[in-house]
Amino acid sequence: MQYPAPIAKLINSFTKLPGIGAKTAARLAFYILEMPESDVLEFAQNLINAKRDLTHCSVCGNITDQDPCIICSDRGRDKSIILVVEDTRDVMSMERMQEFNGYYHVLGGVLSPMEGTGPDDLNVAPLIKRLADEAVKEVIIATNATSEGEATAVYLSRLIKPSGIKVTRLAHGLSVGSDIEYADEMTLFRAIEGRREI
Amino acid sequence: MQYPAPIAKLINSFTKLPGIGAKTAARLAFYILEMPESDVLEFAQNLINAKRDLTHCSVCGNITDQDPCIICSDRGRDKSIILVVEDTRDVMSMERMQEFNGYYHVLGGVLSPMEGTGPDDLNVAPLIKRLADEAVKEVIIATNATSEGEATAVYLSRLIKPSGIKVTRLAHGLSVGSDIEYADEMTLFRAIEGRREI
C-alpha cells in the first residue's frame, strides 16, 4: 500500500531538497496537512514568487529583485574596494557585520575540478571587466577557507595582480571565543603564521 | 541589509516547518532558486493539492483522498481485528510489513496532559462506536512505546475491556538485529519479562 497520491507527490517534492531524506520528507508533508490552509497557500505562493521575481544583479551577480541590486545602486559606498564572495549568503554575512562599506562581487561558486566547475562557469569575466572600468584599488577575496575556496583565491589573485590592483585575502586564525584545545592543526598553524604584535 | 523580499518570505515559510531553523531555511530557499522552474511550480502545486484534496477517513481517521479510505473500503480484510495507531505514518509502517489483514483506527495523537491533549481531542469516540457496531473480537493497541503512548494504551484498554472485547498491546523487547550491549534497561527488562520458550 502507498500513501494517497497527493501526499506521495508532496513527499517526493520535499525529497528533492538538499539534506532531506524520505523520513524527513514524510514528516514535513504530514506537518503541511496540519498547517492552516492560509499558511500553505502562502508557502506555495512564496515558492513561485522567489523563483519568478528574483534574478542576478547584472553588475555584481548577487541575487536581487531589482537590477542593479540595492548595494550596487548605493552610490554612497567606497568604489575603491570590491569584496569577492562565493554566494549571496556570504554577502548577507558581511553586511550583518556592518563594517564593510565597499562593493561586492558574487562568483556563484568556486573552482572545482571534481565537479567540473571551471572559470567560465563562474562570474569571473564580469569581475575583470569591472576592474578595468572602475576606480578599484583593492580586491578582497573572501572565498571560503576550503581547498576549493583557496584555489579560487589563488587563481583570481594571479588574474588580477598584473593590472596593478592590490589583492588581499581574509585572515585565517582562531575564531573569536574559541578554545585552542579544539582548534585543528591547520588553523593553529595559520594563527601562528599570522600573529600580530600587541 | 535584508534579503530581497521574495527570498525573505520563502525563508520565513521554510522556518515554519518542524526541525528547520533559520540557517537551514536559507539554504533550502537558495536551493529553490537554482531548481528548474517546472520543479518549483510542481512543488507549489503539490503543497496546495495535498492540503486541499486530502481528508480524514470518516471510518478510521486515516488520511485519505477518498472516503472511506482504501483500507476501510476493502471488504476482503478481517473484520474481527482493529489495530489502533497514533497516526497515518504508523498505518504505512504496518502495511509495509504485509502481515496484518485487519482494519485500522487512527487516533490522531496520544493523551498528553503536558500538551493539553485529552480523550476528546483524539479520535476515540468513533472507535468506541465502531466496536459497538461491528463484529470486532480483538483490539490491538499499537501506540508508540513512549510514556504518552503507554498511558493512552492503558486508557483505551480500560475503556474497551468492559465490553468483553480482547485488548492487546504490541510486544516490547530487543529490536531484531540489535546488540544487547546497546539496549537500554527498560527494553532489557521488558525483553526478559516477555521471554518465550524456544
Side-chain angles (χ1 to χ4, degrees):
Chain A
M1 188 205 158
Q2 304 251 305
Y3 286 112
I7 192 99
K9 283 181 181 173
L10 182 58
I11 291 172
N12 184 44
S13 278
F14 271 120
T15 55
K16 288 183 183 169
L17 299 177
I20 294 187
K23 293 251 171 186
T24 307
R27 192 164 52 90
L28 294 177
F30 279 100
Y31 187 83
I32 291 287
L33 299 184
E34 307 301 329
M35 275 169 75
E37 181 159 343
S38 59
D39 279 7
V40 177
L41 294 182
E42 194 189 326
F43 188 5
Q45 196 58 52
N46 288 343
L47 279 169
I48 296 168
N49 290 353
K51 186 69 195 166
R52 290 209 171 140
D53 298 348
L54 291 174
T55 177
H56 291 279
C57 171
S58 58
V59 179
C60 71
N62 198 1
I63 286 171
T64 177
D65 53 351
Q66 59 179 79
D67 189 22
C69 75
I70 195 165
I71 295 176
C72 290
S73 312
D74 180 357
R75 291 293 109 196
R77 285 176 167 252
D78 182 355
K79 280 187 150 189
S80 68
I81 306 185
I82 291 185
L83 192 144
V84 178
V85 294
E86 293 184 18
D87 66 31
T88 296
R89 276 167 290 176
D90 301 331
V91 174
M92 295 299 150
S93 299
M94 290 290 171
E95 286 294 286
R96 267 198 294 276
M97 178 181 63
Q98 297 186 320
E99 290 287 342
F100 177 73
N101 193 36
Y103 291 93
Y104 294 93
H105 195 84
V106 180
L107 292 175
V110 276
L111 296 178
S112 171
M114 295 281 282
E115 293 178 13
T117 312
D120 295 345
D121 302 309
L122 302 178
N123 194 23
V124 170
L127 172 64
I128 304 304
K129 192 160 160 287
R130 282 178 81 180
L131 299 183
D133 286 358
E134 296 176 38
V136 181
K137 295 204 172 63
E138 180 176 357
V139 173
I140 305 174
I141 302 181
T143 49
N144 289 336
T146 58
S147 55
E148 288 92 348
E150 294 291 346
T152 308
V154 170
Y155 170 80
L156 288 177
S157 76
R158 284 186 190 159
L159 204 65
I160 298 166
K161 269 190 178 166
S163 64
I165 294 169
K166 187 174 165 189
V167 181
T168 55
R169 178 98 178 96
L170 292 188
H172 291 300
L174 295 169
S175 300
V176 175
S178 69
D179 279 9
I180 287 178
E181 183 181 353
Y182 299 119
D184 63 287
E185 294 81 359
M186 274 311 290
T187 301
L188 278 182
F189 174 69
R190 295 297 196 93
I192 289 190
E193 199 182 39
R195 68 191 179 279
R196 293 166 68 173
E197 200 170 317
I198 53 171
Chain B
M1 190 203 155
Q2 303 252 305
Y3 285 112
I7 192 99
K9 282 182 181 171
L10 182 57
I11 291 172
N12 184 44
S13 278
F14 271 120
T15 54
K16 287 183 183 168
L17 300 176
I20 294 187
K23 293 251 171 184
T24 307
R27 191 163 54 89
L28 294 176
F30 279 99
Y31 187 83
I32 293 285
L33 299 184
E34 306 302 328
M35 276 169 75
E37 182 160 341
S38 59
D39 279 7
V40 177
L41 294 183
E42 193 189 326
F43 187 5
Q45 196 58 53
N46 287 343
L47 279 169
I48 295 168
N49 289 354
K51 186 68 195 168
R52 289 208 172 142
D53 298 348
L54 291 173
T55 177
H56 290 277
C57 170
S58 59
V59 179
C60 72
N62 197 2
I63 284 170
T64 177
D65 52 352
Q66 59 180 77
D67 190 22
C69 74
I70 195 165
I71 295 177
C72 290
S73 312
D74 179 357
R75 290 293 110 196
R77 284 174 168 256
D78 182 354
K79 281 188 147 189
S80 68
I81 306 185
I82 291 185
L83 192 144
V84 178
V85 295
E86 292 183 20
D87 65 30
T88 296
R89 276 167 290 176
D90 301 331
V91 174
M92 296 296 150
S93 299
M94 291 289 170
E95 286 294 286
R96 268 198 295 276
M97 177 182 64
Q98 298 186 318
E99 290 286 343
F100 178 72
N101 193 36
Y103 291 92
Y104 293 94
H105 196 84
V106 180
L107 292 175
V110 276
L111 296 178
S112 170
M114 293 282 282
E115 293 178 10
T117 312
D120 295 343
D121 303 310
L122 302 178
N123 193 24
V124 171
L127 171 64
I128 303 305
K129 192 161 162 284
R130 282 178 80 180
L131 298 182
D133 285 357
E134 296 176 38
V136 181
K137 295 205 172 61
E138 180 176 356
V139 173
I140 306 175
I141 302 181
T143 49
N144 290 335
T146 57
S147 54
E148 287 93 349
E150 294 292 346
T152 308
V154 170
Y155 170 82
L156 288 177
S157 78
R158 284 188 190 158
L159 203 65
I160 299 167
K161 269 188 177 166
S163 64
I165 295 169
K166 187 174 164 190
V167 182
T168 56
R169 178 98 178 95
L170 293 188
H172 290 299
L174 294 168
S175 300
V176 175
S178 69
D179 281 9
I180 288 178
E181 183 181 351
Y182 299 118
D184 62 287
E185 294 79 4
M186 273 312 289
T187 302
L188 278 182
F189 174 70
R190 295 296 197 94
I192 288 190
E193 198 182 41
R195 67 191 180 279
R196 294 167 67 174
E197 200 171 316
I198 54 170

